[in-house]
Amino acid sequence: MNHQAQQQVPFVDLQPQHEPLQAQLQQALKAVVERGDFILGKAVVDFEAAFAAASGVEYGIGVASGTGAIALGLQACGVGAGDEVILPSNTFIATLIGVLQTGATPILVDCDSSTALIDLKAAQKAITTKTKAIVPVHLYGQMVSPKQLLALADTHNLLIFEDAAQAHLAQREGYLAGSIGKAAAFSFYPSKNLGAFGNGGIVLTKDATIAAKVRSLRNYGAPQKYFHTDIGTNSRLDTLQAAVLNVKLPYLGGWNQSRNSAAMYYDALLEPLQSQGIFPIENQSDTGHIYHLYVIRVSAGCPVDRQTIQDELAALGIQTGIHYPIPCHLQPAYQYLGYQAGDFPQAETLSQEILSLPMYPGLSEAQISYVVDCLKKVRF
Ligand SMILES: *Cc1c(COP(=O)(O)O)cnc(C)c1O
């Protein structure tokens, strides 16, 4: 009989971050209940200021989700029907949903095969007289090059709206995520680098007019109570969620560092597998990459297919994920946009080859070694 408990490595474990903060979290939630300011309360105001300051911008406007942040943020920037908006096809579907909610026409483009980030040359080729904005997605925790983005936007007079839902406090070329463009969207979905106990999001901007517009749009389109100047919606950051985020924000930098260190460890241990066609998505940002996800490629050169690897790891207690298995342009709901298989070869190939390994702050070196040892045991 085998009494040895099999080691388990979950894909994400939030306990290591929440356990030490339990007392603080409970206190913060209790304070909201005692104040009773459940809608746009003090915790929301405090968090908006703190997160904006940490990200190097003037204004933060808390909204109900990352999707809401993209939709309302773009709308506040003046994006709407008749405008074309360029975005990558390999992103989470919410980027596309947010763009569509403004009434604008999404123009999908391919990605760079080594970083999986939007291919800015492809973006440039997609520019027309109707192009109003580009929505770079700082995917997996790595920013799209700010210098290249700004150069492209300046040349073609484009508005930059960052989807930073996976990039809280990420850095590249001296820029913080959310500080490059006209405005930016973040998500506080529980498993994001900064996660709430439910849904939440924020729009960041340096522009007072855009900030005021988002504030109105998220709150029934009313800059003052019962006076509706915008066709708005109800998309506010919940006060209880903001209270949680206020407790967690001071630790975000450390958690990001922990993810980056874990990634460096993975990189080093995985090095020998490169000869088997397995290699990580490229990090061009050094410590500025905050590794929302640690993604490897099981390339065509690998003698074992991705599904087999995933199954064998699962049998050994290791959870993995695929981000994302179908690029936006091939999703059934969006066939009406007119794209087809073959339109974005890099995104399509990536979607077949990528595999996300366990990654969260507190993931130990022993766990990482176990994951890589198990990967090496897959029969090649
Ligand atoms: C999570 C995510 C979103 C959407 O955020 P929600 O809070 O779930 O609405 C948007 N874009 C990207 C890239 C994301 O990862």
Side-chain angles (χ1 to χ4, degrees):
M1 258 173 56
N2 183 4
H3 291 284
Q4 210 183 338
Q6 183 179 269
Q7 202 166 338
Q8 299 286 326
V9 187
F11 185 62
V12 174
D13 185 1
L14 300 177
Q15 278 314 110
Q17 25 175 297
H18 293 155
E19 188 62 36
L21 299 179
Q22 239 178 45
Q24 270 178 274
L25 288 162
Q26 275 168 21
Q27 183 49 43
L29 292 169
K30 189 161 163 258
V32 175
V33 174
E34 281 170 4
R35 275 196 305 270
D37 57 348
F38 297 110
I39 302 297
L40 295 179
K42 178 180 183 299
V44 174
V45 177
D46 290 350
F47 178 72
E48 289 175 336
F51 190 72
S55 303
V57 304
E58 278 79 357
Y59 306 100
I61 308 93
V63 295
S65 69
T67 311
I70 298 166
L72 299 189
L74 278 171
Q75 203 185 327
C77 289
V79 172
D83 296 325
E84 290 181 357
V85 175
I86 294 173
L87 69 154
S89 185
N90 73 317
T91 179
F92 181 54
I93 201 71
T95 317
L96 177 58
I97 294 174
V99 170
L100 283 166
Q101 282 184 357
T102 68
T105 304
I107 304 295
L108 298 172
V109 298
D110 210 349
C111 62
D112 180 285
S113 64
S114 53
T115 60
L117 299 172
I118 186 170
D119 177 347
L120 292 178
K121 289 202 182 76
Q124 180 162 23
K125 286 193 194 120
I127 294 170
T128 72
T129 53
K130 290 183 182 164
T131 310
K132 172 112 177 192
I134 179 166
V135 181
V137 180
H138 302 318
L139 200 68
Y140 306 150
Q142 170 158 236
M143 290 173 72
V144 177
S145 166
K147 282 184 190 151
Q148 289 177 34
L149 260 177
L150 287 165
L152 180 70
D154 284 350
T155 310
H156 300 276
N157 194 25
L158 302 184
L159 182 160
I160 300 170
F161 185 93
E162 299 162 68
D163 180 343
Q166 301 187 2
H168 318 70
L169 302 189
Q171 289 187 55
R172 187 165 176 179
E173 298 159 4
Y175 288 84
L176 276 157
S179 72
I180 310 173
K182 199 86 184 146
F186 291 80
S187 163
F188 304 117
Y189 183 89
S191 61
K192 298 289 160 90
N193 289 45
L194 179 60
F197 286 177
N199 286 298
I202 199 167
V203 177
L204 294 188
T205 180
K206 295 174 184 165
D207 186 313
T209 310
I210 291 171
K213 192 77 164 178
V214 178
R215 257 176 234 292
S216 165
L217 289 171
R218 73 167 174 185
N219 196 32
Y220 318 115
Q224 300 152 237
K225 204 164 191 182
Y226 305 132
F227 183 63
H228 305 272
T229 52
D230 296 300
I231 300 170
T233 187
N234 176 350
S235 178
R236 297 174 295 239
L237 176 61
D238 190 87
T239 305
L240 284 166
Q241 300 303 341
V244 168
L245 294 167
N246 276 323
V247 171
K248 293 177 72 171
L249 179 58
Y251 302 91
L252 175 58
W255 290 332
N256 283 345
Q257 271 176 26
S258 165
R259 287 173 182 271
N260 192 279
S261 305
M264 297 299 118
Y265 198 59
Y266 264 128
D267 281 352
L269 296 185
L270 284 168
E271 183 82 36
L273 282 170
Q274 299 215 358
S275 59
Q276 301 285 353
I278 291 182
F279 44 88
I281 294 291
E282 205 171 294
N283 173 4
Q284 298 181 344
S285 324
D286 193 25
T287 54
H289 190 329
I290 60 157
Y291 286 95
H292 172 59
L293 295 166
Y294 185 84
V295 181
I296 59 170
R297 281 185 79 153
V298 180
S299 72
C302 182
V304 183
D305 67 40
R306 179 180 65 181
Q307 188 63 58
T308 306
I309 291 177
Q310 219 181 359
D311 292 347
E312 292 203 18
L313 289 179
L316 293 164
I318 298 164
Q319 286 178 354
T320 57
I322 297 171
H323 301 87
Y324 298 91
I326 305 173
C328 292
H329 71 286
L330 299 179
Q331 290 290 353
Y334 302 99
Q335 288 315 292
Y336 78 95
L337 294 174
Y339 296 101
Q340 39 190 301
D343 282 349
F344 307 120
Q346 302 302 339
E348 289 167 28
T349 303
L350 264 179
S351 70
Q352 302 295 315
E353 298 185 352
I354 45 178
L355 185 66
S356 307
L357 301 181
M359 172 55 79
Y360 51 88
L363 180 70
S364 70
E365 293 199 343
Q367 286 173 304
I368 295 170
S369 299
Y370 178 67
V371 172
V372 176
D373 283 347
C374 291
L375 248 179
K376 287 178 178 163
K377 274 187 224 139
V378 174
R379 231 165 290 287
F380 287 107

